[in-house]
């Protein structure tokens, strides 16, 4: 089986095949296509990262939004106490006002007091707006308490005054001292 | 790893370790003379006025923050707006603080304590409010008062209601605004929710318009003074002239008064001693007139829905005429009503004649519509 290996070269006809004329262009075209494919993959990765960041960002945003709204709606102990205090006063003011209306028979007086109460309520609304913005500010709280206290005293005083006037033990003679 | 943990802890601890910090907000002075006018436009501030002896007006405003977190302190300081200027003979102070800055120190009571304190105050007030007072005792009340009647009660009974554990946790601000003014300066005040304390006798004219103002004076001596107060309180040891209007002011406390006209509405007025030529017109207030000066000459009062309390009437030698309608007279435990509410015709309710054998003080003339007159 001895053989001259030089014959092998003569037998291999493929080596002699000539390269096509546009081989170079085809080669660069293929190389370019491969490059495009890898850059497409990179974009997909970047998009994935962006999506994750967006997701994390959205989740954080909604978490804090919900959290802060919870904080806004959840009342502190002092706010609850103030609300109770406020309600107690407002109930008493309304009660006193109703009994004042019942005993007062001077429409001019009632109107004057209605104006006074409205002025006081306007002031009260301004104070409660400020209290909403800053619930634990002692100065605003003090103003709120003063307003309620004054309103209650105002109505109580005039009601007691009318009640005293209505206790009739009428005299038509001048008293001399 | 340990040093890192400690440094993290250190940074966490810093914001919670509070101490007292003082912030000077204004320190300025202006040369002035007898023609200078001090113009004050004030919102949410407490000012103490002292006498200046060097022909200059001095402004000094500072705040000391106690247990205040840094950010909260900065937020609060953002609400402080103060500026001064001088144009010709007018020195102006503008303070436009937010309401959150507030004007004065609070007694720092918890809500529960405050509720109890207020209930007790109402009881205390009811039992004490009608009692007789001498001129000097009222002047002392004014001199040593720490604010309104409720505030004064809360401060003077702080030991009874204060909770140390609560106080220790509370952040607080010690505010100090002092203006030193020469006695000869005319002052014009426009103030909202502000506290003004004058620690000297004011000789020159003051014009004041205040809403929820807390005003305290020693002596007001000018006959040209003009005051108009809505809500708040007013305390003065002596008034010697001027016009004063009070609406919803509790209390108006005056040690002694002469040559003055007062217009009142839904307020509480206490006067230690009435002097020469005083006139009061009122709607729906409570008045306590404790004493009359030995030379008061005449005193006029006209009121609608007023409660007038007079003291030592029988023992004092003045003449008095009371007329009106739909009015109740309470005297020596007896209640008598004069004139029906529907008739609206004035009748003579009471007359007191002068005593011949002792010095005569003057005449009191009272007109009461729908009023209550308590003769004590």
């Amino acid at each position: 089986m001895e053989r001259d290996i030089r014959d092998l070269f003569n037998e291999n006809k493929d080596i002699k095949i000539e390269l096509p004329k546009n081989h170079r262009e085809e080669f660069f075209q293929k190389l370019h296509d491969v490059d495009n494919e890898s850059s497409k993959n990179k974009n997909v990765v970047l998009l994935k990262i962006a999506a994750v960041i967006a997701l994390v960002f959205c989740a954080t945003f909604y978490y804090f939004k919900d959290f802060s709204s919870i904080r806004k709606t959840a009342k502190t102990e002092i706010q609850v106490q103030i609300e109770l205090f406020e309600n107690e006063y407002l109930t008493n003011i309304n009660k006193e006002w109703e009994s004042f209306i019942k005993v007062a028979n001077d429409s001019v007086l009632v109107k004057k007091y209605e104006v006074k109460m409205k002025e006081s309520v306007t002031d009260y609304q301004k104070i409660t707006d400020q209290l909403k913005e800053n619930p634990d500010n002692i100065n605003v709280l003090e103003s709120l308490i003063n307003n309620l206290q004054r309103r209650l005293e105002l109505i109580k005083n005039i009601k007691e005054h009318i009640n005293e006037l209505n206790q009739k033990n009428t005299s038509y003679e001048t008293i001399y001292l | 790893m340990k040093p890192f943990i400690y440094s993290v802890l250190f940074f966490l601890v810093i914001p919670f370790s509070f101490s007292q910090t003082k912030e000077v907000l204004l320190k300025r002075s202006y040369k002035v003379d007898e023609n200078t006018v001090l113009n004050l436009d004030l919102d949410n501030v407490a000012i103490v006025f002292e006498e200046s002896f060097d022909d200059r007006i001095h402004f000094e405003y500072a705040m000391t923050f106690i247990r205040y977190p840094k950010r909260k302190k900065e937020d609060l300081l953002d609400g402080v707006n103060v500026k001064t200027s001088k144009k010709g003979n007018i020195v102006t102070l503008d303070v436009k603080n937010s309401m959150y800055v507030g004007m004065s120190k609070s007694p720092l009571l918890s809500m529960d304590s405050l509720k109890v304190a207020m209930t007790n105050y109402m009881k205390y007030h009811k039992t004490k409010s009608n009692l007789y007072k001498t001129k000097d005792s009222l002047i002392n009340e004014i001199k040593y008062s720490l604010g309104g009647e409720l505030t004064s009660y809360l401060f003077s009974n702080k030991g009874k209601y204060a909770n140390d554990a609560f106080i220790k946790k509370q952040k607080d601000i010690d505010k100090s605004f002092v203006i030193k003014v020469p006695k000869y300066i005319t002052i014009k005040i426009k103030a909202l929710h502000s506290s003004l304390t004058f620690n000297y006798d004011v000789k020159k004219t003051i014009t004041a318009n205040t809403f929820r103002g807390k005003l305290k004076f020693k002596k007001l001596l000018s006959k040209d003074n003009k005051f108009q107060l809505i809500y708040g309180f007013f305390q003065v040891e002596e008034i010697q002239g001027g016009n004063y209007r009070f609406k919803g002011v509790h209390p108006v406390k005056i040690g002694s008064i002469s040559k003055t006209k007062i217009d009142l509405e839904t307020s509480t007025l206490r006067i230690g001693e009435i002097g020469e030529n005083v006139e009061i017109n009122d709607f729906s207030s409570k008045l306590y007139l404790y004493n009359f000066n030995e030379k008061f000459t005449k005193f006029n009062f006209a009121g609608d829905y007023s409660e007038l309390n007079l003291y030592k009437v029988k023992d004092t030698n003045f003449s008095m005429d009371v007329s009106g309608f739909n009015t109740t007279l309470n005297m020596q435990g007896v209640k008598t009503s004069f004139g029906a509410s529907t008739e609206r015709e004035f009748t003579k309710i009471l007359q007191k004649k002068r005593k011949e054998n002792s010095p005569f003080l003057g005449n009191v003339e009272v007109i009461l519509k729908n009023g209550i007159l308590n003769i004590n």
Side-chain angles (χ1 to χ4, degrees), chain B residues 205-252:
Chain B
T205 308
I206 292 192
T207 314
N209 280 284
T210 68
F211 182 82
R212 273 201 256 145
K214 299 178 175 181
L215 275 67
K216 188 175 162 182
F217 296 90
K218 285 173 90 68
K219 288 181 184 177
L220 287 168
L221 303 170
S222 169
K223 62 177 175 40
D224 300 317
N225 284 344
K226 270 188 186 163
F227 279 72
Q228 193 166 346
L229 278 79
I230 300 175
Y231 306 140
F233 70 75
F234 179 84
Q235 302 187 56
V236 57
E237 289 175 31
E238 190 179 331
I239 292 179
Q240 282 188 15
N243 282 286
Y244 295 79
R245 296 185 77 181
F246 303 107
K247 187 178 164 186
V249 182
H250 299 273
V252 178

Side-chain angles (χ1 to χ4, degrees), chain B residues 14-33:
Chain B
I14 279 176
F16 299 105
S17 57
F18 315 118
S19 55
Q20 286 197 5
T21 50
K22 190 178 176 181
E23 298 286 337
V24 177
L25 304 161
L26 175 71
K27 197 174 167 69
R28 193 161 296 162
S29 67
Y30 295 97
K31 179 101 179 102
V32 292
D33 58 36

Side-chain angles (χ1 to χ4, degrees), chain A residues 106 112, chain B residues 282-285 302-306 367-371:
Chain A
D106 182 347
K112 275 187 178 177
Chain B
D282 172 56
F283 168 71
S284 198
S285 298
D304 190 6
Y305 287 99
S306 310
I367 299 168
L368 274 172
K369 295 185 272 179
N370 311 299

